[in-house]
Amino acid sequence: DGGITQSPKYLFRKEGQNVTLSCEQNLNHDAMYWYRQDPGQGLRLIYYSQIVNDFQKGDIAEGYSVSREKKESFPLTVTSAQKNPTAFYLCASSISEDLYNEQFFGPGTRLTVL
Amino acid sequence: QKEVEQNSGPLSVPEGAIASLNCTYSDRGSQSFFWYRQYSGKSPELIMFIYSNGDKEDGRFTAQLNKASQYVSLLIRDSQPSDSATYLCAVNREDNFGNEKLTFGTGTRLTIIP
């Protein structure tokens, strides 16, 4: 089955710890994205990547880091510098970054800071 | 002014009636528009996309686009209880570096009343 997987589904973190969220896709998509969703709010773009070994900051990149060493994988690290990390994190991919290509979403990771 | 605005609702519609969801956007240069459905606790799934002025129909769903008024809507005919969800409007925009990105509205929560 083709799709996007994210792990873990739920993640608990103590303040001051870095955590890494996994995102893998087998759709052969070039572009991948990370979004954050807070209750009652829309999706806000954290980072995106159009090709391997290249990525750009989105609207709320502070306190986050990413890597794109393989086409299939785009992990997101939430660092201790992120002031309010508790949120629902969504990974998405699209065939390319072309504006007409729809984005497909993974199931999400719910991060809670204790 | 928000880049993408939606009425947050909740919008309550009797089963079998037409549900009308509205979205306005600020970037006059936007060219692609997407409607996603998001069930509580789940990730968004694509319902419709539209690029040209006018109507686009897919089963019980119709997307309407008016670029002059910067307005896009989603109509759901013969509403079913399974249509109860939050509907997210997404609009492409070009950032300061010429990269195309999607901007999401905060979503409209729709409840279909049996």
Side-chain angles (χ1 to χ4, degrees):
Chain A
D1 286 339
I4 304 172
T5 58
Q6 290 185 245
S7 62
K9 186 174 182 179
Y10 298 97
L11 184 58
F12 298 90
R13 187 193 95 174
K14 293 182 180 179
E15 283 193 25
Q17 286 182 334
N18 293 352
V19 291
T20 298
L21 282 58
S22 170
C23 177
E24 303 277 332
Q25 55 97 0
N26 61 4
L27 300 169
N28 200 33
H29 285 175
D30 286 325
M32 297 187 73
Y33 311 82
W34 273 105
Y35 293 92
R36 166 182 174 143
Q37 187 175 36
D38 294 283
Q41 296 196 31
L43 280 63
R44 292 185 290 168
L45 183 64
I46 304 173
Y47 267 98
Y48 64 103
S49 169
Q50 301 174 41
I51 56 173
V52 175
N53 292 323
D54 188 42
F55 49 83
Q56 288 78 39
K57 292 181 178 180
D59 300 315
I60 55 165
E62 185 175 350
Y64 299 97
S65 66
V66 293
S67 63
R68 187 85 185 276
E69 298 176 2
K70 298 187 299 181
K71 186 175 184 178
E72 302 80 16
S73 178
F74 191 41
L76 172 75
T77 296
V78 184
T79 75
S80 56
Q82 169 50 233
K83 299 301 181 189
N84 186 21
T86 295
F88 188 40
Y89 290 86
L90 289 158
C91 178
S93 70
S94 62
I95 294 175
S96 72
E97 199 245 356
D98 183 273
L99 63 90
Y100 295 111
N101 290 321
E102 59 264 36
Q103 294 182 17
F104 298 89
F105 286 86
T109 292
R110 197 167 297 277
L111 173 64
T112 302
V113 173
L114 303 173
Chain B
Q1 182 188 5
K2 290 183 181 178
E3 293 175 345
V4 179
E5 290 204 55
Q6 295 181 254
N7 187 329
S8 61
L11 176 64
S12 296
V13 173
E15 184 176 355
I18 296 175
S20 177
L21 305 164
N22 304 316
C23 174
T24 58
Y25 59 95
S26 61
D27 186 352
R28 194 169 282 279
S30 295
Q31 297 183 48
S32 54
F33 308 86
F34 304 85
W35 283 100
Y36 285 85
R37 178 176 63 198
Q38 186 176 26
Y39 292 115
S40 180
K42 303 296 185 182
S43 61
E45 56 180 325
L46 184 69
I47 298 295
M48 293 280 292
F49 58 86
I50 186 167
Y51 309 140
S52 303
N53 274 329
D55 295 359
K56 179 182 178 183
E57 188 174 316
D58 184 2
R60 296 187 296 111
F61 299 94
T62 299
Q64 299 175 318
L65 175 61
N66 183 327
K67 289 185 179 180
S69 300
Q70 295 175 242
Y71 174 92
V72 58
S73 65
L74 179 70
L75 301 178
I76 306 174
R77 290 182 299 280
D78 188 23
S79 297
Q80 304 295 311
S82 60
D83 295 326
S84 297
T86 296
Y87 288 81
L88 301 171
C89 172
V91 178
N92 89 290
R93 65 179 172 93
E94 190 174 279
D95 66 12
N96 294 336
F97 303 97
N99 297 315
E100 296 287 344
K101 292 200 290 288
L102 279 185
T103 297
F104 286 81
T106 55
T108 298
R109 188 155 56 94
L110 174 66
T111 300
I112 306 302
I113 304 169

